[in-house]
Amino acid sequence: MNDSSPQQSSQNQSTWASIATWRMAYEGMVKSSSGLEEGGQAGDAVETLIQEVEANPDYTSVGYGALPNREGEMEMDAAFMDGNNMALGAVAGIQYALHPISVARRLSRRHTSSFLVGQGATRYAQISGFEMRNMLTDRARRRWELESAKATRPESAGPYRGHDTVGAICLDLQGSMAAGTSTSGLFMKEPGRVGDSPLPGSGFYVDSAVGGAAATGLGEDIMKGCLSYRIVALMGRGLTPQEACDSAVYEFYSLLRKRCGKVGEISLIALNTRGEWGVATNVEFTFCTARKGEQTRILMANPDGKSGTRIDPVAKDWLQ
Ligand code: SD4
């Protein structure tokens, strides 16, 4: 349940909508869309969508069966934000929790100690009764063993192969918005490494009076630009989600390239209070959208080379 009412009373709200990163969000989006269609709350939709990805071992970068760190352990990052009252909760480096998104959401209801890391986050999840399990599947362990065997020294393994965050923003029929993220971060990451996904303003941000944004890609670069907050701020000044994404992402990408020489993968999604969405990316990037009266879609975004984004439908077999 959302803990407060929306702040956009002047608006005649009549639609629900969702956007989420990567093809892996599809099944969760279909499931959460029926809740939104029936008048369910944005926060519930975000949690349902992300839980579906976390529980699926076929999606190897989020939750059960995801990517271990350099020492073969699974450390996960997740966050939840309620756009009505700006409540947010987050976990970083949490272990054994099947649904880090639900732990983050529970934490968002607290006024203090709402962002927990490492052992503290794991202990909190355990004590609070969240489902805990060994998150490492045989397949994930084999992947780690193969990768470890390749590395002559531990520090030469990784750090940037295999990744992806599920990030979602939902708008409900009452005009409430929520956002969430969940990821195991980068494959073979340094133990204790935290990406952008649990960081408000970087990995996600949402304000029910304006809209929300979420990120996926190389956290170390995304957090340099606080890109999710930037996009929401631009939408607040009247830009459409697509204009805001294009402006924030490509301007920042150019700046980082000029100042640092190299830039990792950066992909952002955004949704506003009218259910309009936008995307910008410096790599090929799939994402899912749903809106009242429309089918859930998987789309592909690419940079168009002119500070804009090309969006194409993906082939039907991506749905299988
Ligand atoms: C991180 N942004 O931990 C995440 C990983 C990711 O596509 O989304 N990769 O840095």
Side-chain angles (χ1 to χ4, degrees), residues 245-311:
C245 286
D246 286 345
S247 164
V249 172
Y250 300 121
E251 273 173 39
F252 182 67
Y253 173 74
S254 300
L255 179 138
L256 213 53
R257 230 171 65 151
K258 203 154 78 193
R259 304 257 187 104
C260 312
K262 73 176 180 196
V263 186
E265 296 182 9
I266 297 180
S267 306
L268 270 289
I269 55 171
L271 185 73
N272 71 10
T273 55
R274 287 192 289 275
E276 299 160 339
W277 53 260
V279 180
T281 181
N282 64 353
V283 289
E284 186 172 276
F285 165 61
T286 58
F287 62 101
C288 300
T289 65
R291 189 157 42 194
K292 188 175 165 64
E294 290 176 12
Q295 267 198 322
T296 303
R297 292 190 295 169
I298 304 174
L299 296 168
M300 171 97 72
N302 275 285
D304 74 2
K306 293 178 295 218
S307 297
T309 309
R310 202 185 73 234
I311 293 170

Side-chain angles (χ1 to χ4, degrees), residues 22 163-165 183 185-186 193 195-197 216-220 222:
W22 304 112
H163 52 90
D164 289 351
T165 298
T183 184
L186 307 187
R193 179 259 183 196
D196 61 301
S197 305
T216 178
L218 183 63
E220 284 77 354
I222 293 166

Side-chain angles (χ1 to χ4, degrees), residues 79-121:
F80 176 89
M81 184 166 185
D82 178 333
N84 290 348
N85 56 8
M86 324 309 280
L88 72 88
V91 289
I94 192 170
Q95 294 190 281
Y96 308 112
L98 177 60
H99 291 303
I101 185 63
S102 302
V103 183
R105 190 179 185 195
R106 178 84 64 87
L107 286 168
S108 76
R109 301 200 174 106
R110 297 169 66 157
H111 198 211
T112 60
S113 298
S114 51
F115 190 159
L116 302 180
V117 304
Q119 282 183 359

